[in-house]
């Protein structure tokens, strides 16, 4: 935080000894240490609060993004229509397109593998 070396601390202590005097210096050092501890505690609590708010905001954004995904809702609805035997009660046109695309991709990957083997 502060770039204070040993020589600067010694200089501050000598000046404090001259200004305050040797009788009141221990009390001054103790009260200064207490104040520094309180300030550090306050800064740590503010930092933790800010981190907590940032995490909460990130969670809100993620939940909002997930709520805006209509495809996810469609998948959930389709999953609820699957019968215990594994067959669907009613197939949607979108599901047929997905299955056709998957079949096409599988065929292409097999063709590429066969070409690589040769």
């Amino acid at each position: 935080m502060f770039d204070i070396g040993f020589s600067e601390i010694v200089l501050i202590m000598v000046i404090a000894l001259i200004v305050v005097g040797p009788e009141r210096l221990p009390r001054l050092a103790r009260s200064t240490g207490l104040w520094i501890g309180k300030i550090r505690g306050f800064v740590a609590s503010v930092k933790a609060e800010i981190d907590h708010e940032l995490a909460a905001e990130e969670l809100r954004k993620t939940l909002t993004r997930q709520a805006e995904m209509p495809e996810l809702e469609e998948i959930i609805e389709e999953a609820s229509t699957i019968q215990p035997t594994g067959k669907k009660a009613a197939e949607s046109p979108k599901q047929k397109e997905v299955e056709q695309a998957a079949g096409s991709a599988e065929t292409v990957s097999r063709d590429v593998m066969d070409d690589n083997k040769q």
Side-chain angles (χ1 to χ4, degrees), residues 16-112:
L17 181 63
I18 293 170
V19 172
V20 175
E23 295 173 3
R24 294 188 297 177
L25 187 61
R27 261 189 309 197
L28 178 69
R30 189 178 321 119
S31 64
T32 303
L34 290 173
W35 277 102
I36 289 174
K38 287 180 181 180
I39 290 171
R40 284 185 179 170
F42 175 73
V43 168
S45 69
V46 168
K47 197 177 199 181
E49 220 172 286
I50 290 172
D51 289 341
H52 179 71
E53 287 298 320
L54 288 174
E57 181 64 29
E58 184 67 29
L59 181 62
R60 267 188 237 112
K61 285 181 182 178
T62 302
L63 290 174
T64 304
R65 246 185 281 130
Q66 286 178 352
E68 293 173 352
M69 296 177 126
E71 298 88 24
L72 185 61
E73 292 174 10
E74 290 177 9
I75 292 172
I76 292 171
E77 288 175 10
E78 288 178 11
S80 65
T81 61
I82 296 177
Q83 296 175 353
T85 60
K87 295 182 179 179
K88 293 183 183 172
E91 279 197 30
S92 68
K94 189 169 190 171
Q95 180 64 26
K96 289 179 183 177
E97 291 176 16
V98 170
E99 289 173 0
Q100 288 174 352
S104 300
E106 192 175 306
T107 304
V108 169
S109 66
R110 265 190 263 130
D111 291 343
V112 169

